[in-house]
Amino acid sequence: MMNFSFLSISVSLVMIFCGLWSFVNYHKHLLNSLLSLEFMMLGIFWLLNLQLTNVGGELYFSLFFLVLVVCEGSLGLSLLVLIVRSHGSDYFKSFNVLEC
């Protein structure tokens, strides 16, 4: 019989690797890249919560990590809005990186 903690850890690792795989393979649009990064952060948050509850139940660090993930997500969305307004789409090949 499988242990619940082993199953939870394996599910979170699968989430991280699926997010990494989608980040590598589907990088044509900025929104796809941002969603795969958020999926990886969700897997890391889940793994962090599992490990911190095994250590001693101190979850303030995981809340701090969650705040940083939310700030990263809002920054990514604001960059997405800025790129769509300036270049017309979030397709990576539609804008030049060297352009001011």
Side-chain angles (χ1 to χ4, degrees):
M1 184 94 188
M2 272 191 164
N3 194 3
F4 180 71
S5 64
F6 176 74
L7 183 65
S8 299
I9 289 172
S10 63
V11 166
S12 63
L13 289 176
V14 165
M15 285 176 65
I16 293 169
F17 287 123
C18 284
L20 183 65
W21 180 74
S22 67
F23 183 73
V24 169
N25 288 332
Y26 302 113
H27 55 84
K28 291 182 182 177
H29 294 278
L30 181 61
L31 185 61
N32 287 342
S33 300
L34 290 174
L35 285 174
S36 62
L37 285 175
E38 288 297 320
F39 193 66
M40 284 192 302
M41 288 297 128
L42 184 64
I44 291 171
F45 176 69
W46 193 5
L47 186 64
L48 184 70
N49 273 337
L50 289 172
Q51 294 301 316
L52 286 178
T53 54
N54 288 337
V55 170
E58 189 68 35
L59 296 177
Y60 291 116
F61 184 72
S62 65
L63 290 176
F64 179 71
F65 180 77
L66 188 62
V67 167
L68 289 179
V69 168
V70 167
C71 290
E72 179 255 337
S74 66
L75 180 66
L77 286 177
S78 65
L79 286 174
L80 177 70
V81 168
L82 180 71
I83 286 174
V84 167
R85 284 186 179 176
S86 64
H87 296 287
S89 70
D90 66 336
Y91 192 61
F92 277 127
K93 292 185 180 180
S94 68
F95 56 92
N96 189 2
V97 177
L98 299 175
E99 185 178 300
C100 291

